[in-house]
Amino acid sequence: MSGLFKPDLSALVLGTLAAGPKHGYAITRAIREAGRGNLTLGEGQLYPVLHRLQELGFVSAEWHAQTGKPSRKVYTITEKGKRRLAKQRREWSEVSAGISSILMQASKADNHG
Amino acid sequence: MSGLFKPDLSALVLGTLAAGPKHGYAITRAIREAGRGNLTLGEGQLYPVLHRLQELGFVSAEWHAQTGKPSRKVYTITEKGKRRLAKQRREWSEVSAGISSILMQASKADNHG
DNA sequence: TGACATATATCAAGAAATGATATATAATCG
DNA sequence: CGATTATATATCATTTCTTGATATATGTCA
């Protein structure tokens, strides 16, 4: 994830998979499109995260063969993953509210002390 | 910054200083309070960021002596820092909208392909 | 022919986060 | 009286993460 604000990539992956199973490359595109240039990610970041999510049981994976093109590894969010996503959504609401309150506050008089 | 979602600490520091000059320890408290437990940060993170912001001319610093207590280094946001903050606010709006759209989307039917 | 899209994966190098440690004083608690 | 917490700045080792390149393999477009 490039840029100044870096959300946990695992949350974005789970959020993307909540809309339906996807392979890694499709996840990359989905995140880039939803971010409209503000959320970019490299493969060097995505695949390790995907493997860790699978290892922890938040997603399951299945190989889908294709003729003439490389095989796809299709990921599906698990029940455990959905619970984690729910938790991450709550956390996101709180964190983003906190960041907004700090970032969007108006300038006031001195108050150091 | 701990937790799953990690905003750029420099943006939070500049945002905090926009409300008035503060010393490092006060910045820490301000961010923790505004984050209501969701934004925590260690000193090992804050001071290097503060020094880099000063080096880059986004903040200026001045020592304030105290009797019986350690001296404070009071930071003030510069004009350059204000312009940077304005940019970071815009970026935050876009990034947070993108994250929200990914995270808060409802589950749909399969659409891998 | 070269570049780009599809598709997964690893790796080295650099950047950042975590948590501890150091230093120093005052107040609070048992 | 000893321990802990708050104030206050700063560094450091360890671990973790990001970046950008590399590897492999095919189809399409200019």
Side-chain angles (χ1 to χ4, degrees):
Chain A
M1 196 64 51
S2 76
L4 294 168
F5 299 96
K6 304 171 187 178
D8 187 15
L9 186 50
S10 78
L12 295 185
V13 169
L14 291 180
T16 302
L17 291 178
K22 279 176 196 65
H23 54 95
Y25 196 78
I27 294 171
T28 303
R29 280 183 315 199
I31 292 176
R32 284 184 184 156
E33 283 166 28
R36 289 193 196 85
N38 301 295
L39 301 172
T40 59
L41 74 162
E43 303 88 64
Q45 240 186 308
L46 179 69
Y47 292 108
V49 165
L50 233 24
H51 298 160
R52 214 184 68 232
L53 285 174
Q54 185 181 3
E55 201 180 9
L56 295 171
F58 296 125
V59 302
S60 61
E62 208 180 306
W63 281 101
H64 286 222
Q66 292 188 122
T67 48
K69 282 184 182 177
S71 290
R72 289 167 167 176
K73 203 171 176 182
V74 175
Y75 294 89
T76 305
I77 191 167
T78 62
E79 284 306 314
K80 192 180 172 187
K82 286 177 187 173
R83 286 194 295 275
R84 187 177 165 83
L85 177 58
K87 195 180 165 187
Q88 288 174 315
R89 281 172 170 157
R90 284 194 299 275
E91 189 182 336
W92 167 245
S93 298
E94 291 173 13
V95 169
S96 62
I99 295 170
S100 293
S101 77
I102 292 169
L103 237 53
M104 303 305 180
Q105 68 191 339
S107 297
K108 294 163 206 164
D110 283 19
N111 65 338
H112 57 289
Chain B
M1 195 65 50
S2 76
L4 294 168
F5 299 96
K6 303 171 188 178
D8 186 15
L9 187 50
S10 77
L12 295 186
V13 169
L14 290 180
T16 302
L17 290 179
K22 280 176 194 63
H23 54 94
Y25 197 78
I27 295 170
T28 303
R29 280 184 314 198
I31 292 177
R32 285 183 183 155
E33 281 167 29
R36 289 194 196 84
N38 301 295
L39 301 172
T40 58
L41 75 162
E43 302 89 62
Q45 241 188 305
L46 180 69
Y47 292 109
V49 165
L50 233 24
H51 298 159
R52 214 185 67 234
L53 285 175
Q54 186 182 2
E55 200 178 9
L56 296 171
F58 296 124
V59 302
S60 61
E62 208 182 304
W63 281 101
H64 287 222
Q66 292 189 120
T67 46
K69 282 184 182 181
S71 289
R72 291 166 166 177
K73 203 172 178 181
V74 174
Y75 294 89
T76 305
I77 189 168
T78 63
E79 284 307 312
K80 192 180 172 187
K82 284 177 187 174
R83 287 194 295 275
R84 186 176 166 84
L85 176 59
K87 195 179 164 188
Q88 288 175 316
R89 280 172 171 158
R90 284 193 299 273
E91 189 183 334
W92 166 245
S93 297
E94 292 173 12
V95 170
S96 63
I99 296 169
S100 292
S101 76
I102 292 169
L103 236 54
M104 303 305 181
Q105 68 191 340
S107 296
K108 294 163 205 164
D110 282 21
N111 64 339
H112 58 287

